[in-house]
Amino acid sequence: MKILVYSHDANTRAQVRLAIGRRPAAGLPEVEYVEIATEPAVFARLDKGDIDVAVLDGEARPAGGMGICRQAKDEIYNCPPIMVLIARRDDGWLATWSRADAVASLPIDSVALAEGVAELVRKRLTGSGSELSRR
């Protein structure tokens, strides 16, 4: 199970890795992380088609995770489920616009983030559709 973690901030990427751990939940496969700090690298990796779930920092600079999510949903064939991290509750509407499959709050709530990623992993494994869930 490959999880892409995008943020310009290495500390944010580390917090996401720590929150999810080796497995987001019991019964799910072990996670291999792909950490990325730039927008072009995100699209290059998504184009490979080997990412199962992506966690994108909505506060990343210069390219935010919500814009990347929207573009990925438009351009990547069989785009993996994407969780967007948002810092302001009022940005939830932007996450909906971005077509994110899930949302988690910054600062990171480890339990909520792991549960949200576990839900996306399960959807990816079963091939079911997705709805925006708020964590």
Side-chain angles (χ1 to χ4, degrees):
M1 179 64 49
K2 288 187 183 174
I3 297 180
L4 182 147
V5 180
Y6 164 72
S7 179
H8 74 283
D9 183 351
N11 185 47
T12 300
R13 295 192 309 267
Q15 288 177 22
V16 169
R17 279 193 338 269
L18 287 172
I20 298 168
R22 291 176 54 144
R23 296 176 200 266
L28 294 178
E30 283 193 23
V31 170
E32 176 184 336
Y33 292 98
V34 177
E35 289 188 55
I36 296 180
T38 67
E39 176 187 20
V42 170
F43 287 105
R45 191 55 192 250
L46 289 175
D47 279 338
K48 283 186 172 183
D50 67 340
I51 298 298
D52 296 296
V53 172
V55 179
L56 309 179
D57 180 358
E59 302 300 310
R61 293 182 303 266
M66 287 184 267
I68 291 173
C69 179
R70 174 108 178 165
Q71 185 176 345
K73 293 293 185 171
D74 286 342
E75 297 178 3
I76 303 296
Y77 175 73
N78 198 23
C79 186
I82 298 175
M83 173 180 278
V84 175
L85 305 175
I86 60 173
R88 294 167 300 279
R89 184 178 197 88
D90 292 343
D91 284 345
W93 74 271
L94 281 172
T96 300
W97 167 84
S98 75
R99 299 197 322 237
D101 299 284
V103 175
S105 297
L106 290 169
I108 291 173
D109 174 338
S110 296
V111 173
L113 180 65
E115 287 175 356
V117 168
E119 184 179 327
L120 294 180
V121 168
R122 287 184 193 103
K123 285 180 181 179
R124 183 66 167 189
L125 291 173
T126 63
S128 66
S130 61
E131 296 178 8
L132 182 68
S133 66
R134 303 207 181 275
R135 296 268 174 227

